[in-house]
Amino acid sequence: MSMAVVGLVAGMALGFAGYFGGFGAFLLVAALGAIGFVVGRFLDGDLEPGDFFRPRDRDRPRPRDRDRDR
């Protein structure tokens, strides 16, 4: 299934939840959809648990540090 079709289905589900269930249902469907997306990426092997818990690269200087060195 292409990403366009997945986006269409997700948009329709959010639209129906917002129309019939109100804003609270819209937020619930959006949150569960985001969780499902992340779980799907884990199962496909596109993400690893360490991607969320690994610190950023500390080797790269921050812009603030580069200006101070000049």
Side-chain angles (χ1 to χ4, degrees):
M1 186 181 303
S2 72
M3 291 304 292
V5 173
V6 171
L8 174 68
V9 171
M12 289 175 62
L14 289 172
F16 280 120
Y19 183 75
F20 292 112
F23 189 67
F26 173 82
L27 290 178
L28 177 65
V29 170
L32 292 176
I35 291 170
F37 176 75
V38 170
V39 168
R41 297 291 299 251
F42 276 126
L43 295 177
D44 283 343
D46 293 335
L47 287 177
E48 296 180 12
D51 291 341
F52 289 105
F53 304 114
R54 188 175 311 138
R56 291 182 165 204
D57 294 338
R58 294 179 189 226
D59 298 334
R60 184 177 55 189
R62 295 181 294 190
R64 183 175 55 204
D65 294 337
R66 281 186 281 170
D67 293 338
R68 187 180 55 186
D69 293 338
R70 290 182 186 176

